[in-house]
């Protein structure tokens, strides 16, 4: 019993002193990586990155950028124009336009006009009066980010966009499929709700 090396109380006291000297060895001094079971910082960074990307995805998906403005139709509802604005972060590209039960319209064009001139409702995109309204193929134009219809500050330099559709029968609704920030969105515009 005279040997201090064999005394269990002295051994415990030496171990406790060593733990106090190196904080990573005790629970009180462990860092975050030690507390989560030795998870390295690369893995933690990847988890945070996935959470941020997921948050941005849901923010964009539940906040579509395309805003419907002007809605006009002819008396027989065979020709319509829908004003659209892009309130998103980047340009919008229209992918497809269909009517009623996802039927292909006879003709679909995009009017690229200015805020002072407005849109024209026509059943002939090649007429003399329609030429001033900048009818172009839908797939050739992108709707620039930040376009908005503010009539108080409108000028001739402010571009506005209108989807013009001609169909052989009465148009009850128009489906617009578009892409923004690499994601696909769909909007439906209803006519004749009553």
């Amino acid at each position: 019993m005279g040997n201090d090396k064999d005394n269990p109380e002295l051994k415990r006291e030496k171990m406790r002193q060593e733990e106090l000297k190196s904080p990573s060895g005790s629970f009180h001094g462990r860092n975050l990586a030690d507390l989560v079971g030795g998870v390295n910082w690369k893995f933690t960074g990847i988890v945070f990155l996935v959470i941020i990307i997921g948050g941005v995805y849901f923010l964009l998906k539940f906040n579509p950028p395309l805003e419907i403005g002007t809605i006009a139709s002819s008396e027989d509802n065979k020709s319509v124009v829908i004003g659209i604005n892009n309130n998103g972060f980047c340009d919008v590209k229209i992918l497809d336009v269909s009517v009623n039960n996802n039927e292909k319209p006879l003709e679909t064009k995009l009017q690229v006009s200015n805020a002072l001139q407005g849109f024209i409702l026509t059943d002939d995109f090649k007429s003399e009066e329609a030429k001033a309204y900048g009818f172009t193929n839908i797939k050739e134009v992108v709707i620039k980010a930040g376009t908005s219809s503010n009539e108080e500050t409108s000028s001739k330099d402010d571009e506005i966009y209108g989807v013009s559709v001609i169909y052989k029968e009465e148009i009850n609704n128009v489906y617009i499929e578009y892409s923004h920030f690499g994601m696909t969105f769909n909007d439906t515009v209803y006519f004749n709700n009553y």
Side-chain angles (χ1 to χ4, degrees), residues 112-131:
V112 182
S113 187
N114 65 63
L116 297 179
Q117 182 176 5
F119 300 119
I120 185 172
L121 184 60
T122 183
D123 58 358
D124 182 12
F125 298 140
K126 295 175 182 156
S127 69
E128 282 301 315
E129 62 179 355
K131 287 182 182 178

Side-chain angles (χ1 to χ4, degrees), residues 55-145:
V56 168
Y57 172 79
F58 284 109
L59 174 72
L60 291 173
K61 197 65 174 170
F62 294 110
N63 251 344
L66 204 63
E67 182 181 276
I68 305 300
T70 304
I71 299 174
S73 64
S74 62
E75 286 184 26
D76 60 2
N77 274 13
K78 291 183 180 181
S79 175
V80 298
V81 63
I82 303 162
I84 54 176
N85 303 313
N86 178 2
N87 294 324
F89 302 112
C90 63
D91 295 343
V92 166
K93 181 85 172 151
I94 295 179
L95 303 174
D96 192 33
V97 175
S98 58
V99 296
N100 298 343
N101 295 319
N102 284 328
E103 299 160 12
K104 209 67 174 154
L106 294 176
E107 283 191 83
T108 306
K109 296 282 185 184
L110 189 68
Q111 291 186 46
V112 182
S113 187
N114 65 63
L116 297 179
Q117 182 176 5
F119 300 119
I120 185 172
L121 184 60
T122 183
D123 58 358
D124 182 12
F125 298 140
K126 295 175 182 156
S127 69
E128 282 301 315
E129 62 179 355
K131 287 182 182 178
Y133 289 86
F135 284 100
T136 55
N137 291 328
I138 280 202
K139 297 188 180 193
E140 293 177 5
V141 178
V142 293
I143 292 100
K144 296 176 186 169

Side-chain angles (χ1 to χ4, degrees), residues 2 7 13 21 25-26 32 38 41 46 58 63-64 81 89 93 114 126 133 143 146 150 166 171-172 179 191:
N7 189 346
E13 182 62 27
K21 288 180 185 175
S26 73
L32 181 61
W41 288 106
I46 291 172
F58 284 109
N63 251 344
V81 63
F89 302 112
K93 181 85 172 151
N114 65 63
K126 295 175 182 156
Y133 289 86
I143 292 100
N150 186 353
I166 300 173
I171 298 173
N172 296 316
S179 69
F191 294 88

